[in-house]
Structures are given as C-alpha cells and as structure tokens.
Amino acid sequence: MGFTSQRANNSQIDCSKIMPSKQQQDEEIFPTEWEYLTKLRIEIDARGWKSQSRGDDRTLIRFLRARDLDVNKAALMYGDYVQWRQQANVDSILQTFTYPELHRVLEAWPQNWHKTDKLGRPVNIQLLSRLKLSDVFQATTEDRLLMRAMWVWEELHECRLPACSTAAGSYIGQATVIFDLHNVSVSTFTNVHVRRILSKMANLFSRYYPDYLGRLIIINVPVAFWVVWEMLRPFINDRTQKKIRIHRGNGLEDLLNTIHAEDLPSFLGGRCRCPGGCEHALTGP
C-alpha cells in the first residue's frame, strides 16, 4: 500500500483518544497463537529488541503470522523492524514529516480512503486509471513519495484502524485496497520511476508492515500489468498473495462481495455518490 492521504499538513497527529480497548486488541489473536506469542516475547526480550511504541501483542502477532508462526524467523524479522524504526525516526514521522505538495500529487494520482468494507475495514482506492505520471514527478520525488507512504502506513496504524475498531465495536487490524488499472498504458508499467518506487514500497510494506492487508482487489488489468506483477511478486509472501484478487474486467462481483453497494463509489459500480466525488471525499471512521 503505497498511498498518499488527504490529511493536509500532517502536524501534531494525536490518536490516543480513539485507541481500541485491550479486549478489542485481543479478539483476533487465536488461542493456538498465544503459546507462540509468549515464546516470541521471551526471544526478543533476551535479544534486547524492544520498541516502546510497537511492542504490544497485536504488533508481535503480525510478525509471527508473516513467518508462519516460526518464532526464530519472526524474532529476526521483528529485530530488523525495531532497528529500522530507530534509524529512520519512524516513531516521530506523524509529527515531523510535512508534504506541502500533497494537493498537486492527488490531482495527478487520484486516491482516497473511502468508507469501510463489510467487515469494517477501511477502504483505500487507487485510481491509477487517472494517473498523470509526468505531473506526479514534477510535483514530488521518489524519496518523498516513499516517505509519504510511510506516513500513511503509520497513520493507518495509529489513527484509522483504531477509529474503525471503535466504530465496529471489535478489533479491526487490516485494510482493503482497490487498484483500478483501466487504460493504464504499457509505458506506465515500464517507466523507471514507477518500477523503482513500487518495488521499494512493496519491499518496505512486506518487511515492516506485515499483516495489514486484508484484501487487495485489482481491476481492469491490462496485459502490460503482468510485467510489474512479476517484478513485485518476489517481495510479497504467500500469505499476502492469497489476499490478492486480479480481474481483467471490472471485478464488480468481487467488489460487491467485499463492500456494500451503498459504500462503493458509482464509478466502480456501486451506488455511492459523495458530494464533490467519492475520489475526493474523505469519508469513514
């Protein structure tokens, strides 16, 4: 999920008032997983791999699941994550990173968080069908796109998922993402900027944000897409690949199985027509 968000200035983000309860956080940890979770905590404590902001059970279980409950592999993955957060100052990114070019980027690359799916998960819509590639890189750089993606992933964890959990009355720990590739050209998929930024985003997301994806639905897929897919697939573990659905057509049946028609934008085949356009309306928890 390498997306931008419509929150304007990124300044002084405080989501403490919408954090889910401890009971909600525990709801999706299955009884068979607690034994492995205890062993993982013992392992990372012994190695001194501690994160003040991301050392809770809910975070640790993500790494265990990403490594199929292999405690040693999960510990190594988590240790790499803790080191990365320290070196990249990720804990402070919501307060320190600003993105004044956001409006120009969104004009060239329309995308938005729009309501929730049937399970209460936030829905992110990426309209690559309307992408103006040259305008994107006139407005920003690859490095700043990557930093902005990290900001959005942090905001998803700290703010959006807790808000969805509160609205649903149960723990929500994942997001649903829609990519619309209608009329995306071969030159877009083979562009050096696109290939490089997508591979970097896929690598970061796979290594440092495991188990945040609930469902990825890719629609209106052209033949050229498979060039990029073969490049990205090595960065995507088997567990995540099973959550991805790829459709040559509009994928409407899959979309409606996932999202209520009244919450799905009309341009994707649903009945929602937000004032000013669903692609611009920041709706949902």
Side-chain angles (χ1 to χ4, degrees), residues 20-167:
S21 67
K22 179 65 165 62
Q23 180 181 355
Q24 287 177 337
Q25 291 186 36
D26 288 349
E27 283 181 3
E28 286 299 315
I29 299 178
F30 302 108
T32 54
E33 294 175 323
W34 281 106
E35 178 184 354
Y36 295 97
L37 188 59
T38 300
K39 291 179 180 178
L40 176 60
R41 188 170 292 284
I42 292 171
E43 183 70 19
I44 62 176
D45 285 348
R47 300 191 188 202
W49 292 334
K50 295 182 179 180
S51 170
Q52 295 298 322
S53 63
R54 299 290 169 83
D56 58 287
D57 291 340
R58 184 63 256 182
T59 296
L60 295 182
I61 200 66
R62 295 183 186 277
F63 289 87
L64 269 171
R65 290 171 178 170
R67 293 296 179 261
D68 297 321
L69 301 183
D70 185 309
V71 172
N72 186 57
K73 290 181 179 179
L76 292 173
M77 185 183 183
Y78 181 75
D80 179 48
Y81 168 74
V82 170
Q83 184 178 36
W84 168 74
R85 291 190 70 88
Q86 294 171 345
Q87 292 176 345
N89 296 314
V90 180
D91 283 350
S92 62
I93 194 171
L94 290 180
Q95 287 72 41
T96 60
F97 179 70
T98 59
Y99 202 64
E101 64 266 44
L102 176 60
H103 181 69
R104 293 175 61 198
V105 171
L106 290 178
E107 285 186 336
W109 183 354
Q111 55 193 270
N112 197 15
W113 291 103
H114 183 271
K115 300 189 176 181
T116 58
D117 68 10
K118 293 180 179 180
L119 297 179
R121 301 178 297 201
V123 176
N124 187 279
I125 301 172
Q126 298 286 313
L127 296 178
L128 292 173
S129 53
R130 305 182 192 179
L131 176 66
K132 300 174 184 176
L133 194 57
S134 61
D135 290 354
V136 170
F137 290 105
Q138 286 177 10
T140 193
T141 65
E142 290 181 22
D143 286 344
R144 285 185 61 73
L145 273 176
L146 197 62
M147 284 292 293
R148 179 62 188 185
M150 288 164 53
W151 188 97
V152 171
W153 297 335
E154 287 295 302
E155 194 255 5
L156 172 67
H157 178 95
E158 293 289 340
C159 303
R160 198 166 301 278
L161 292 176
C164 288
S165 298
T166 299

Side-chain angles (χ1 to χ4, degrees), residues 3 109-114 123-128 176-180 259 263-265 267-268 278-279:
F3 338 105
W109 183 354
Q111 55 193 270
N112 197 15
W113 291 103
H114 183 271
V123 176
N124 187 279
I125 301 172
Q126 298 286 313
L127 296 178
L128 292 173
T176 288
V177 183
I178 302 169
F179 276 80
D180 181 9
I259 303 166
D263 294 328
L264 184 68
F267 57 77
L268 294 177
C278 294
E279 64 270 42

